[in-house]
Amino acid sequence: MQDIKGDVVSRAGQGDLKALEMIFKAYGDLVFNVSLRIVNNREDAEEVSQDVLWIIARKIRSFEGRSSLKTWIYRITINAALRYARRNTGKGRFVEYDDTINGGSGGNDVERAADKEQAEAVVQGLLGELSEEQRACIVLRSMEGLSYEGIADVLGIRVNAVRSRLKRAREKLLSRRKEVMRDEM
Amino acid sequence: MRCEEAQDLILTDHLDGRLSEGFERELRQHLAGCERCREFLASAKETLVGLFEKIPSEHLPPAVIESVLDRIEEERSASLAGKLEEVGKGMLVWLGGFRLRPALVFSCVLVCLLVIGIMSGVDRIQAARNETRGLYLASIVELSANNERTIDYGTALEDYFLQERGES
Ligand SMILES: [Zn+2]
C-alpha cells in the first residue's frame, strides 16, 4: 500500500483529482476486500466500493486527522457495506452455510477446505451466519488484521465490546461448523 | 482456571496473541491437564485462524476508480454551468430593474468585470479584502466555499469562458 502523506490529503481536500486518485489507489483494495467480505458478492462489492470512493471524495475536505486516514476509510467502508447488506437482505446473497459445504463434489470437508476457493466459500458461508456487527468485527480482526484497539476506533465502541463481540461471533462460528461437520459424517 | 474461563481466553486474547504472560502460563497449565480444552483449542485454531488465513486478498478493478473520477469531473462541470446560469439570471433581473439609471448600470458592469477577473485566477482572497469590491465578492467566495460538490473551479471556469468566447 502506498503511503499517503498529509499534503496529499489536503490537496485532495482542495479538489486536486490527482491527489484523490493517489488516495483511491492506495486504499482501493482495502475498501474492496472489506466490502466483499461483508456483502459477499463481487458485483455488489464493486458497487459499495464505488459509493465509498465517492463519499471519500466528498468528505475528504472535512477529514480532520483525528483518526488516521486508514481508520477513517475503514469506518466509511464498514458503514457503507453494512448499509448495503441491510438493504439487500431480501436478495439472499449469502448462501446457506450447509449449501457451501454440501454443494461440492463430495470428499472430506477439511481436504476441500485446503483449497483456497473452498476455504473462501466456507468462510463466506460462516460469515453469513453472523449478525452484521459480529461480521464487521471478524472481518476487521481475522481478515484485515486490526488490533482490538483499531477495531474499537473504527466501530466507535470500547475495546471490551470488541472482545465480547469477537467471542460471541467465534462461538457461533465454531458451533455452526461443528454442526455441519457432524451432519456430514 | 475453569474450562469456561480457559475457552473464553482461547477464543479471544489467546487466539489474537494478546494474552498477558501470567494468564498465558495459567492457560498452559490448564491445557496440560484438560483434554476437552485441548480439543477446543485445536478446532478453534483450525476454524477461526487456519481457514481465514487461506482467504486471498482481492484487488479493486481499476475501472471502479476511473468511473468515480469521471463522475466527479462531470459533476463539477455540471454544477459550474448551473452556477453561472444562476449568476447570469440574477444579473439580468438586476439590470432590468435599473435600466433607466445609467450610474447603476455602470456599477453593475463594473462588478461583472470584477467577478470575471477574480474567477479567472486573480487572487480571490486579496480581492475580497478590497473594500470597494465589498460584500458581494465576499459572498461569492463564501458561496463557493459552502458548495460541497464544487471544490475548485478555477481552471474549469477559465475553460468555460474561453469556450463561450470561442463560440460567439
Ligand atoms: Zn478445560
Side-chain angles (χ1 to χ4, degrees):
Chain A
M1 188 188 293
Q2 257 173 286
D3 197 25
I4 292 294
K5 300 212 166 60
D7 70 300
V8 175
V9 175
S10 60
R11 277 197 286 127
Q14 285 153 16
D16 181 341
L17 282 188
K18 276 270 160 282
L20 203 53
E21 191 178 0
M22 278 173 78
I23 295 174
F24 287 174
K25 283 188 173 155
Y27 293 101
D29 289 353
L30 174 158
V31 170
F32 185 59
N33 276 290
V34 172
S35 304
L36 181 61
R37 299 310 160 202
I38 290 181
V39 300
N40 191 27
N41 171 291
R42 299 191 79 87
E43 221 174 285
D44 292 348
E46 283 180 21
E47 205 177 315
V48 172
S49 301
Q50 200 169 334
D51 288 349
V52 170
L53 298 189
W54 182 241
I55 294 170
I56 292 171
R58 273 171 45 207
K59 305 251 176 174
I60 189 81
R61 196 152 47 133
S62 59
F63 172 71
E64 287 168 337
R66 257 178 289 175
S67 53
S68 72
L69 183 64
K70 195 173 172 183
T71 297
W72 186 69
I73 290 175
Y74 267 126
R75 197 177 296 148
I76 294 173
T77 308
I78 290 279
N79 287 336
L82 288 181
R83 204 163 45 232
Y84 191 96
R86 245 172 255 143
R87 213 172 45 209
N88 294 286
T89 37
K91 279 200 213 165
R93 289 290 196 187
F94 268 98
V95 187
E96 285 284 309
Y97 178 51
D98 295 284
D99 297 340
T100 67
I101 295 299
N102 298 325
S105 53
N108 178 283
D109 176 24
V110 179
E111 265 172 27
R112 268 184 285 143
D115 180 14
K116 272 188 183 180
E117 269 177 44
Q118 283 296 335
E120 198 171 1
V122 170
V123 165
Q124 285 298 160
L126 282 170
L127 287 177
E129 302 282 328
L130 301 177
S131 74
E132 286 158 359
E133 287 176 337
Q134 291 172 341
R135 210 186 305 156
C137 270
I138 290 286
V139 168
L140 291 176
R141 174 65 212 129
S142 300
M143 297 170 130
E144 294 294 314
L146 265 66
S147 67
Y148 287 17
E149 289 75 14
I151 299 171
D153 207 6
V154 169
L155 299 179
I157 57 178
R158 288 171 182 282
V159 171
N160 274 341
V162 172
R163 189 179 181 280
S164 69
R165 275 188 203 178
L166 280 173
K167 179 177 167 255
R168 277 199 300 272
R170 284 167 168 169
E171 277 169 351
K172 209 189 252 179
L173 295 177
L174 272 185
S175 73
R176 191 71 190 110
R177 185 151 162 87
K178 247 180 231 158
E179 266 175 48
V180 173
M181 285 171 86
R182 201 170 39 229
D183 290 350
E184 277 215 319
M185 290 205 282
Chain B
M1 188 179 279
R2 288 173 297 120
C3 290
E4 198 193 346
E5 213 181 329
Q7 296 187 3
D8 184 306
L9 291 178
I10 287 170
L11 279 186
T12 53
D13 301 65
H14 176 73
L15 273 189
D16 295 315
R18 45 177 286 137
L19 196 56
S20 71
E21 220 173 285
F23 273 115
E24 200 65 67
R25 203 179 314 119
E26 274 188 57
L27 180 62
R28 265 201 307 274
Q29 278 165 5
H30 177 89
L31 288 171
C34 179
E35 201 191 336
R36 201 159 73 100
C37 284
R38 278 203 301 275
E39 277 169 16
F40 182 86
L41 176 61
S43 78
K45 274 189 175 160
E46 199 257 328
T47 300
L48 304 170
V49 182
L51 262 182
F52 282 84
E53 276 173 354
K54 291 191 185 113
I55 305 302
S57 182
E58 306 280 345
H59 297 290
L60 177 68
V64 174
I65 291 181
E66 281 156 29
S67 80
V68 174
L69 291 172
D70 286 350
R71 199 170 132 201
I72 293 168
E73 278 183 346
E74 270 169 38
E75 288 256 340
R76 276 187 194 181
S77 47
S79 94
L80 170 70
K83 185 148 288 136
L84 282 177
E85 205 177 319
E86 256 172 57
V87 170
K89 276 182 191 158
M91 288 293 179
L92 281 179
V93 170
W94 198 30
L95 280 171
F98 300 103
R99 208 171 3 212
L100 301 173
R101 301 168 74 171
L104 277 167
V105 173
F106 176 74
S107 67
C108 180
V109 169
L110 193 68
V111 168
C112 286
L113 288 174
L114 284 172
V115 169
I116 290 165
I118 284 155
M119 280 182 161
S120 47
V122 174
D123 187 340
R124 286 182 214 171
I125 293 163
Q126 199 56 45
R129 285 200 195 114
N130 187 322
E131 52 182 349
T132 61
R133 293 168 195 193
L135 288 172
Y136 182 68
L137 298 178
S139 76
I140 285 176
V141 172
E142 202 182 352
L143 188 74
S144 69
N146 285 337
N147 188 320
E148 259 218 324
R149 285 167 170 177
T150 314
I151 297 165
D152 179 12
Y153 42 60
T155 45
L157 231 153
E158 275 173 21
D159 291 347
Y160 186 86
F161 276 109
L162 288 171
Q163 198 187 332
E164 282 285 286
R165 279 177 199 148
E167 274 167 13
S168 60

